[in-house]
Amino acid sequence: MKPWRHRFGHSLGLRMVVLFLVLALALTVTFLGGMRTVFSGGWRDVLRPLVADYVDRLATDIGAPPDVARAQALTQRLPLTIRIDGPVVNWESQPPRHPERWRRDGRGARQGQGGDHDNDAADEDGAWWLLTRSTADGHRIRFGLGDAGWQHRPRYFGWATLGMLLLITAAAYAYVRHVLRPLRDIRAGAVRFGQGDFSQPIAMRRRDELGDLAQQVNNMASGLHHMLDAKRQLLLAISHELRSPLTRARLNAELVADNHGGDGNDGSDGSRSARSALLRDLAEMGTLITELLESERLSAGHAALQREPVDLNGLVGEVIASHFEGRGVRVEAAESLPRLSLDPVRIKLLLRNLLDNALRHSVGAPQPPVVSTSLKEGAVALVVRDHGPGVPPEQLPRLAEAFYRVDTARQRSTGGVGLGLYLCKLVAQAHGGQMTVRNAEPGLAIEVALPPGP
């Protein structure tokens, strides 16, 4: 699983939801702070003097000593809580929730120093006392809000607000995912197009700007597909057209040499050298055309294969016996390999190219090339290694490209035109596998991983 920081940095939808929450929180804090400042200023400057004057009138109406009947009538008429404690009267409109504290205090309240004062705080009985007035005979009258359940309503409203905020956040996240779904489709389509699979276009789910973007990507992929098909058809046509005159040229060169030189004893050394050079060039051109044709066929992937159950170890032995007998190639075959569903003709071509490349770069090496097979991470690994000079690390990623050669001078002693490893990569990919190239120090190791399935 990806780390949270990586997922947050990679997910555009998640970042949009977090931005939405931050903006909502900033707006809420700003609004509440401003409203609190307004109301607190209004309370101090306007409402508090009015409430204080009204409480003075209520205390005068209750009288001195306090009249409990009048106080009770006020609590029935107004949403107030009144508490009276003093030397004569001790009464509360709502019974205390902690009678032992009332008794322990003597009269149920802390005695002040006399005079009027404000007490905007809740006591241990849960009443929220707004203002307190003291009478001339030593009684203290406290006025508070009457509904005790009102004190707990902010808590309920807070939990309800939090639940609503979470619900809105979940809905916003779901909507953002829905809005950004075409981006995921475009990304998946771009991956398919990059792998050469143009069979499935990007799904058109929207008619907005993202839908237009998906349509443009589909149009671009269609143009690339047609361009690649045209290139492939051109190469196939050129290769087919060149094979016939090339075959006739090779045949005519052999016939001309035979007619002039007979068995070759009557011909001059120059004629024989020219004939050999011409035949070698014609053979190289024939190999190039064959490899071009095969590479274009394999570009179609699985459709070009003729699969059958194959014993890979037996196929390796057969190729070495028929093409590399006496060349010193060493085989390290794993036992009990599963039979693979392969195209034996293409796998033989792959083996021949890999071994020919290894032998070409093993001239003067202390050891001959090694072919090994093994089971590796659920796949069958075929590795061909030489013990030559290897390849500069910066050139390894390009080694399997078409017409790429480490030897830029293209000397005849090295042989090849740069299509052998490219063709091997196409064969591996057509079978659902992959080919990797690495320096083995000494030498170069080329590994082909073939899946066990069909």
Side-chain angles (χ1 to χ4, degrees):
M1 181 177 296
K2 296 181 179 179
W4 170 257
R5 182 178 301 177
H6 178 78
R7 291 181 59 191
F8 177 77
H10 187 264
S11 174
L12 180 60
L14 188 59
R15 282 185 287 168
M16 291 180 64
V17 171
V18 172
L19 178 62
F20 164 77
L21 290 177
V22 171
L23 289 177
L25 182 61
L27 290 175
T28 302
V29 171
T30 303
F31 176 77
L32 292 180
M35 295 303 295
R36 182 175 181 179
T37 302
V38 171
F39 281 113
S40 62
W43 166 254
R44 288 192 306 268
D45 300 336
V46 179
L47 294 179
R48 191 181 187 91
L50 294 176
V51 173
D53 182 74
Y54 185 69
V55 169
D56 289 339
R57 294 177 184 274
L58 291 179
T60 302
D61 190 31
I62 292 175
D67 189 339
V68 174
R70 292 182 180 180
Q72 190 171 8
L74 287 176
T75 58
Q76 292 176 356
R77 181 165 53 91
L78 300 173
L80 293 175
T81 296
I82 300 177
R83 182 172 179 176
I84 305 172
D85 51 339
V88 178
V89 180
N90 288 290
W91 176 84
E92 187 176 7
S93 59
Q94 293 182 358
R97 287 182 291 177
H98 302 285
E100 68 281 358
R101 296 181 183 175
W102 179 281
R103 290 191 297 270
R104 185 173 62 247
D105 193 41
R107 288 191 296 261
R110 296 184 300 274
Q111 299 298 324
Q113 300 299 324
D116 298 346
H117 63 277
D118 300 333
N119 185 20
D120 297 343
D123 64 4
E124 66 274 8
D125 293 329
W128 192 271
W129 305 111
L130 294 176
L131 296 172
T132 300
R133 294 293 180 264
S134 297
T135 63
D137 57 358
H139 286 82
R140 177 179 293 176
I141 305 176
R142 298 184 181 184
F143 296 91
L145 299 178
D147 187 6
W150 174 87
Q151 305 167 28
H152 303 287
R153 288 180 185 174
R155 182 183 306 172
Y156 302 145
F157 285 135
W159 286 109
T161 303
L162 178 60
M164 185 62 66
L165 181 61
L166 293 176
L167 182 62
I168 292 175
T169 302
Y173 183 71
Y175 180 72
V176 169
R177 284 182 60 87
H178 172 72
V179 169
L180 298 181
R181 185 177 180 183
L183 287 181
R184 297 193 295 273
D185 294 337
I186 292 172
R187 181 181 60 182
V191 171
R192 291 195 304 271
F193 300 153
Q195 295 174 348
D197 181 12
F198 298 93
S199 60
Q200 181 182 354
I202 299 173
M204 299 296 299
R205 305 180 186 274
R206 305 278 288 278
R207 297 298 179 186
D208 54 8
E209 293 178 346
L210 290 179
D212 295 341
L213 176 61
Q215 183 62 47
Q216 292 297 325
V217 175
N218 281 335
N219 294 339
M220 179 188 69
S222 178
L224 289 175
H225 189 199
H226 290 314
M227 182 177 65
L228 291 175
D229 279 344
K231 185 266 297 183
R232 183 176 296 113
Q233 294 300 325
L234 177 62
L235 284 176
L236 289 174
I238 292 175
S239 300
H240 276 294
E241 292 299 325
L242 284 177
R243 293 188 76 175
S244 296
L246 186 62
T247 302
R248 292 195 298 269
R250 181 182 177 86
L251 180 60
N252 291 332
E254 292 179 351
L255 290 176
V256 168
D258 288 341
N259 290 333
H260 286 277
D263 57 1
N265 294 328
D266 297 333
S268 65
D269 293 338
S271 298
R272 286 196 298 270
S273 298
R275 174 175 177 270
S276 298
L278 178 60
L279 292 176
R280 184 169 59 248
D281 289 340
L282 291 174
E284 185 173 342
M285 292 176 62
T287 301
L288 172 61
I289 292 174
T290 301
E291 290 181 347
L292 280 173
L293 282 171
E294 189 63 24
S295 65
E296 291 304 316
R297 293 192 187 103
L298 287 172
S299 297
H302 296 273
L305 302 181
Q306 302 294 325
R307 293 177 179 266
E308 61 182 68
V310 173
D311 177 13
L312 185 60
N313 288 336
L315 205 63
V316 170
E318 182 180 342
V319 170
I320 293 177
S322 58
H323 295 87
F324 303 98
E325 186 70 29
R327 305 287 297 275
V329 178
R330 192 169 78 249
V331 179
E332 297 177 357
E335 298 181 356
S336 303
L337 285 181
R339 296 180 70 85
L340 304 177
S341 179
L342 306 174
D343 185 332
V345 175
R346 269 50 184 261
I347 295 298
K348 288 180 180 179
L349 174 64
L350 179 145
L351 280 168
R352 287 199 305 271
N353 283 344
L354 291 182
L355 286 172
D356 182 68
N357 181 78
L359 287 168
R360 190 184 312 125
H361 294 89
S362 294
V363 178
Q367 299 182 41
V370 179
V371 182
S372 62
T373 58
S374 62
L375 284 173
K376 184 178 180 181
E377 298 179 356
V380 176
L382 170 69
V383 180
V384 178
R385 176 191 174 180
D386 63 71
H387 295 82
V391 175
E394 65 274 8
Q395 297 187 8
L396 285 176
R398 301 191 58 192
L399 204 58
E401 294 180 1
F403 298 106
Y404 180 79
R405 287 176 43 144
V406 177
D407 178 17
T408 56
R410 293 178 178 267
Q411 299 174 357
R412 286 189 180 275
S413 58
T414 60
V417 293
L419 279 176
L421 293 183
Y422 172 68
L423 195 58
C424 292
K425 183 181 72 172
L426 292 180
V427 171
Q429 292 177 348
H431 284 84
Q434 60 180 355
M435 187 182 79
T436 56
V437 183
R438 67 179 186 275
N439 278 320
E441 298 180 357
L444 189 73
I446 302 178
E447 178 177 336
V448 177
L450 298 171

